[in-house]
Amino acid sequence: DSGVTQTPKHLITATGQRVTLRCSPRSGDLSVYWYQQSLDQGLQFLIQYYNGEERAKGNILERFSAQQFPDLHSELNLSSLELGDSALYFCASSEGGSGTEAFFGQGTRLTVV
Amino acid sequence: DAKTTQPTSMDCAEGRAANLPCNHSTISGNEYVYWYRQIHSQGPQYIIHGLKNNETNEMASLIITEDRKSSTLILPHATLRDTAVYYCIVRGANNAGNMLTFGGGTRLMVKP
C-alpha cells in the first residue's frame, strides 16, 4: 500500500460526458502528479500541483483540468469525453523535492463507450 | 530532464540476480536516478533512487558509475513476482517542476 488513494477504481461513461477523478496523497506530501496511461502508450505526465498551486503542465488536453484543494487532495476533471480518453489515470504524491520519492496510487480505469 | 536508454526486454532465471542497465549520458549534476517498476497495469512502484553513491534497500541495489553516465539496477535473487516493466528515470528540479518522465522501460521476464 503506497498510501496514495484514488477513487473510483473503475469508471464507465458515455462519450460527451464529464467525470471527476479524485486523489488523496500520502500524509504530509505537498506535491501531486497526474498521469495517463493508454493501451498503446506509456505513462504520460499530465500536470503537477504543489501545495495548491499548479507547478508544471505536460500533455494535458484543454478538455482536462485539475486542482489541488487546501487539504491537499486533488481532482482531475475530464470533460467532453471521447473514446480515445479511455485509459488508466494515475496519481502520485511526494513531499516535493526531487530527492524525495514519489508514490503512485493504484489508478482509475476509465472506459468511455 | 536527461533522457535514458534501456534495453527493451530482458530475461532472467528465477533465483538468479537480475542486472538492468540504463544509460543517461546527458545527466546533470543535480539530477537523481530513479527506478520504478510496473506490474501489469498496477500503479508504478518505487524501487530505489540515488544521486552519486551506490544505494541499497530491501528491494534492490543501485550502482551508479563514477561519471554518472550510466547505472545498473540489481535485483539480487529474482522471483517470478519480479516480472514487470522497469523504468529508469532521471529526475531534476527546475522552474518547470520535478515530474517523473517515463520512457519505454525494460520488460523483465523472470523464468522458472
Side-chain angles (χ1 to χ4, degrees):
Chain A
D1 182 9
S2 68
V4 178
T5 303
Q6 290 187 247
T7 57
K9 287 187 171 52
H10 302 277
L11 197 50
I12 301 175
T13 190
T15 55
Q17 295 298 306
R18 172 189 169 96
V19 297
T20 297
L21 313 184
R22 182 187 170 100
C23 171
S24 294
R26 292 189 317 153
S27 177
D29 284 356
L30 299 178
S31 265
V32 170
Y33 313 78
W34 286 97
Y35 288 81
Q36 179 193 55
Q37 187 172 35
S38 304
L39 194 60
D40 56 352
Q41 292 196 3
L43 284 148
Q44 300 290 322
F45 168 71
L46 295 178
I47 197 164
Q48 176 192 359
Y49 277 81
Y50 177 81
N51 203 20
E53 300 289 328
E54 182 183 303
R55 181 79 183 272
K57 243 178 180 177
N59 300 320
I60 187 166
L61 299 172
E62 285 191 11
R63 299 183 286 109
F64 296 0
S65 65
Q67 54 184 327
Q68 186 178 29
F69 294 86
D71 67 353
L72 300 178
H73 91 271
S74 178
E75 293 181 355
L76 179 66
N77 301 296
L78 314 176
S79 61
S80 303
L81 285 168
E82 302 174 358
L83 296 178
D85 298 327
S86 296
L88 278 164
Y89 291 85
F90 291 105
C91 164
S93 76
S94 75
E95 291 178 6
S98 292
T100 61
E101 310 92 289
F103 293 92
F104 284 76
Q106 287 305 302
T108 294
R109 182 177 293 278
L110 173 66
T111 302
V112 183
V113 297
Chain B
D1 288 348
K3 292 185 178 178
T4 62
T5 304
Q6 300 178 251
T8 304
S9 63
M10 292 180 64
D11 290 343
C12 178
E14 189 179 19
R16 303 298 293 268
N19 296 277
L20 291 87
C22 179
N23 286 322
H24 31 79
S25 58
T26 59
I27 192 170
S28 299
N30 64 348
E31 290 179 319
Y32 289 79
V33 179
Y34 277 79
W35 284 84
Y36 281 79
R37 71 181 182 184
Q38 187 175 27
I39 299 171
H40 188 57
S41 298
Q42 295 180 19
Q45 180 186 21
Y46 166 80
I47 301 174
I48 199 166
H49 77 284
L51 183 62
K52 295 180 182 178
N53 300 321
N54 299 337
E55 302 288 344
T56 296
N57 62 20
E58 65 278 3
M59 287 184 68
S61 295
L62 173 60
I63 309 298
I64 303 175
T65 58
E66 194 170 340
D67 64 6
R68 302 213 319 130
K69 292 185 177 181
S70 65
S71 60
T72 301
L73 178 75
I74 301 172
L75 307 178
H77 304 287
T79 71
L80 299 179
R81 287 177 295 179
D82 291 322
T83 292
V85 178
Y86 287 76
Y87 297 97
C88 169
I89 301 166
V90 170
R91 182 189 190 201
N94 52 43
N95 291 333
N98 62 355
M99 75 294 288
L100 295 158
T101 302
F102 289 81
T106 295
R107 186 172 297 275
L108 176 69
M109 179 76 70
V110 180
K111 298 183 174 180

